[in-house]
Structure formats: C-alpha cells, structure tokens
C-alpha cells in the first residue's frame, strides 16, 4: 500500500517474516532475477494472511552501478551448498533431479545480449553440470543452477563469457561452500567495512 515506485516485479513467499521471505526469494531463480535487477531501486514488503508479498520497482536513482555483480561474492565462504528447487511456477525443468546446488548469478547492469559460455569447476578443475537460466527480456541477471549439490568446504571457480553493448567480455570469481542448508541465508553485517555505505534515508537512532 502506498508503494511509490514504477512496479517491475511482484513476488510472494509463504513466510510471515519479511527478512526470511527475502532470504527465501533470493534462493529462487525468479526471485534472484527480480531482486538483483539493477533497474529495481525500490522495494515494498507487505505481510497478510501468512503470505509475504514483495514488490520491486523503479525510483529516480543517481548512484553508481558496478560493471558487474556476482553472487556468491568473489572470495565468499560459509555458503549454503544446496537449493531445494522449490519454486512456483518452476523455472528449472521439473524432470531434473533435486536438490540442486546453491544458485550462482551474474548481473550486468548494461544488459546481457548473449551468453557465450558459463562454467563452474571444483578446485581441481572438475566441471559441475549446470542448468543456465538466461535473463528474461529486459533483464540483466543470469542464474546458474548446479545440477549437483555443492560439497561442503569445497572451493569453486565460476566463469561466464558474455556479450554486452556489442562487446565480448568475461567475469571470473571464486567462492567456498561452508554449510548445507538452503535457508535462511546469513544476515549481512552492516558494520562490516567490506560493505558499501547504506543510506536508509532517516537519521540514526538516538543513543539510549
């Protein structure tokens, strides 16, 4: 109610807690595409009758966008190794065996015109079979779905070759799996110096 942005997507999750709902939606293909969409500069969250509804949209934004954004982040560890594959309606073909490995994604704010290749390999170079969920029309997020659960304490290398704005490019990054659960994701530490500054648009709470 009262959402001021120009709507881009609408998502629903069966949690009554907004934070857990976002965590759960982040671990789905459709949710990842919507929440990582760099056009989405506003989000509205509402809870009613046991369902959390999340609306993403556009508001005027003058901030700087990165050339590329990945999840998991380069060098990340302690990550979940599995995704249940539960998503309605399903994006990944229903005949593929579940569970899957935790989702891996690449967002290119300038737009992904073509995906040339996508690879996920173990530390010793063994390839992980993937289902590739390319961006929908107008979207900018590619989601890689590992067709095998990712192993605990294993380090993985991801690489995507793509065309954006008529030019071929590639992104490589590495992350380590550390826990098997798909939900919930760890909450970020807002005081971590590695995180960018966050402006909530309101003055800080007075000290008690």
């Amino acid at each position: 109610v009262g959402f001021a942005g120009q709507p881009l997507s609408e998502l629903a999750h069966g949690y009554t807690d907004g934070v857990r709902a976002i965590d759960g939606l982040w671990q789905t293909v459709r949710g990842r595409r919507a929440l990582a969409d760099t056009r989405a500069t506003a989000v509205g969250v509402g809870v009613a009758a046991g369902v959390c509804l999340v609306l993403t949209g556009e508001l005027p934004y003058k901030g700087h966008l990165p050339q590329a954004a990945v999840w998991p982040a380069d060098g990340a560890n302690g990550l979940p190794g599995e995704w249940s594959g539960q998503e309605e309606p399903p994006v990944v073909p229903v005949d593929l065996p579940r569970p899957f490995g935790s989702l891996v994604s690449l967002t290119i704010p300038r737009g992904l015109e073509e995906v040339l290749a996508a690879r996920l390999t173990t530390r010793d170079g063994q390839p992980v079979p993937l289902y590739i969920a390319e961006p929908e029309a107008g979207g900018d997020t590619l989601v890689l779905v590992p067709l095998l659960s990712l192993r605990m304490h294993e380090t993985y290398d991801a690489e995507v070759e793509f065309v954006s704005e008529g030019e071929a490019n590639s992104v490589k990054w590495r992350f380590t799996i550390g826990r098997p659960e798909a939900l919930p994701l760890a909450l970020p530490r807002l005081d971590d110096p590695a995180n960018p500054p966050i402006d909530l648009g309101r003055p800080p709470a007075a000290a008690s």
Side-chain angles (χ1 to χ4, degrees):
V1 175
F3 182 74
Q6 179 65 37
L8 287 170
S9 66
E10 186 177 69
L11 306 165
H13 203 293
Y15 286 139
T16 56
D17 179 285
V19 172
R20 294 179 67 199
I22 295 294
D23 280 345
L25 290 168
W26 188 252
Q27 279 289 80
T28 66
V29 174
R30 189 175 287 104
R32 179 74 58 87
R33 284 171 174 164
L35 295 173
D37 188 341
T38 52
R39 297 172 300 169
T41 53
V43 61
V45 180
V47 178
V51 174
C52 181
L53 193 66
V54 179
L55 192 68
T56 69
E58 293 180 281
L59 285 174
Y61 178 71
K62 298 180 181 180
H64 172 72
L65 291 175
Q67 289 188 322
V70 298
W71 193 94
D74 186 29
N77 56 46
L79 298 162
E82 288 187 351
W83 173 45
S84 66
Q86 184 176 354
E87 181 170 8
E88 294 296 338
V91 175
V92 182
V94 295
D95 58 343
L96 292 175
R98 288 154 169 76
F100 302 123
S102 191
L103 302 179
V104 179
S105 64
L106 167 68
T107 300
I108 303 295
R110 297 171 298 169
L112 275 164
E113 296 168 14
E114 183 181 0
V115 178
L116 303 175
R119 291 177 285 273
L120 184 66
T121 57
T122 62
R123 188 173 359 205
D124 58 3
Q126 295 298 311
V128 177
L130 297 171
Y131 173 79
I132 301 175
E134 297 198 21
E136 297 176 327
D140 56 14
T141 297
L142 168 78
V143 182
L144 308 179
V145 184
L147 298 181
L148 300 173
S149 297
L150 303 184
R151 297 197 297 265
M152 294 290 289
H153 311 302
E154 176 66 85
T155 297
Y156 291 87
D157 290 303
E159 180 178 8
V160 178
E161 300 175 15
F162 59 93
V163 176
S164 178
E165 294 187 319
E167 294 185 3
N169 210 329
S170 66
V171 174
K172 300 179 182 179
W173 71 104
R174 173 176 291 182
F175 57 89
T176 301
I177 299 302
R179 56 191 176 86
E181 306 88 20
L183 295 174
L185 299 180
L187 296 178
R189 282 184 49 214
L190 298 185
D191 61 344
D192 189 330
N195 288 334
I198 297 176
D199 180 7
L200 299 178
R202 59 176 183 265
S208 58

